[in-house]
Amino acid sequence: MQQSFDLFFVSSNSYKYQEVKKILNSFEIKLGFFKFDLEEIQSNSLKDIALKKAKDAFFKCKKPVIIEDDGLFINSLDGFPGPYSSYVFKTIGNKGILNLLKSNRQAKFVSIISYCDKKILLSFDAKLDGTISNSQKGKSWGYDPIFVPKNSRKTFAEMDNKNELSHRYKALKKFSNWYLHK
Ligand code: ITT
């Protein structure tokens, strides 16, 4: 039997979908998935990148969609890799980031969730402060093995409750609040 979905998440990253699906399920929103590599414009603004990705996703799927754009901003590197987080992960990766850092290890993860349908284009953002660990800890995807959220001693990769406090959770909570009352 075909399942019916309220809306679709469009991304090239299945790990992101798994987390977004779980979080939205907890708000009783059923989420489908279109696995696409969306075009990303070059910009210093995550929000501009996200809005463009959402328009592109809606154009491709012709259904209400959400997309997410994330960035890891490291204080001592003036916010690098920020909007270039995806490229930096694919090139120098976690090892490369660790090699760049000395004593100041403050950082933040930012998530922008953008929604697009025939009439509406909107974004919801959230940030989570934290630090970059001294070495990779735990097995998971992306920057999870090096990001330690504020008030925790564990990296995202070592935690079992990441989805209850992450940058993604915070942005999706704002989105759900709007979506369920629109
Ligand atoms: P899209 O197709 O959805 O754009 P992406 O993996 O390129 O997928 P982003 O540009 O939003 O996603 O993410 C920037 C980078 O940050 C990318 O390398 C992700 O793997 C990483 N990232 C995002 N959220 C993360 C999280 O919760 N934990 C670890 N790494 C994360």
Side-chain angles (χ1 to χ4, degrees):
M1 202 174 71
Q2 212 183 352
Q3 239 190 315
S4 71
F5 293 111
D6 299 308
L7 81 158
F8 287 81
F9 183 64
V10 188
S11 170
S12 62
N13 187 331
S14 313
Y15 297 107
K16 270 169 49 168
Y17 170 61
Q18 290 307 329
E19 291 190 7
V20 174
K21 184 168 90 165
K22 222 183 223 169
I23 294 165
L24 287 188
N25 246 331
S26 73
F27 295 112
E28 311 215 332
I29 299 171
K30 280 188 272 168
L31 188 71
F33 185 38
F34 280 118
K35 195 163 196 259
F36 279 137
D37 210 344
L38 294 167
E39 193 194 327
E40 278 196 23
I41 56 164
Q42 282 251 340
S43 167
N44 289 331
S45 156
L46 278 191
K47 191 174 169 191
D48 289 350
I49 298 171
L51 288 171
K52 175 71 182 57
K53 264 164 87 173
K55 278 199 241 173
D56 188 23
F58 178 70
F59 180 77
K60 287 204 165 82
C61 306
K62 310 275 187 265
K63 292 182 192 305
V65 291
I66 52 169
I67 62 87
E68 184 190 23
D69 207 61
D70 299 294
L72 177 67
F73 294 76
I74 300 175
N75 289 19
S76 63
L77 304 178
D78 292 332
F80 179 85
Y84 309 102
S85 296
S86 197
Y87 178 73
V88 168
F89 185 76
K90 283 184 207 140
T91 51
I92 63 171
N94 286 333
K95 219 172 145 203
I97 296 266
L98 291 175
N99 286 338
L100 291 174
L101 297 188
K102 299 208 173 77
S103 57
N104 177 359
R105 310 187 76 87
Q106 301 292 321
K108 68 179 173 187
F109 239 133
V110 175
S111 164
I112 315 264
I113 296 288
S114 293
Y115 171 90
C116 189
D117 66 18
K118 243 191 252 176
K119 294 185 186 146
I120 302 170
L121 177 63
L122 264 183
S123 284
F124 304 83
D125 59 1
K127 67 159 186 157
L128 185 70
D129 290 320
T131 52
I132 302 298
S133 56
N134 290 313
S135 61
Q136 300 198 53
K137 288 176 193 155
K139 286 217 164 9
S140 187
W141 60 283
Y143 296 110
D144 274 1
I146 62 165
F147 186 77
V148 180
K150 200 174 167 184
N151 300 325
S152 167
R153 306 180 93 184
K154 294 179 176 174
T155 63
F156 263 165
E158 297 174 301
M159 301 174 80
D160 49 23
N161 61 341
K162 175 189 173 190
N163 287 332
E164 292 162 29
L165 54 88
S166 69
H167 52 309
R168 179 163 299 109
Y169 168 77
K170 290 166 84 179
L172 285 168
K173 192 175 171 191
K174 284 188 190 172
F175 163 74
S176 303
N177 241 330
W178 169 80
Y179 182 78
L180 295 169
H181 299 102
K182 83 178 166 77

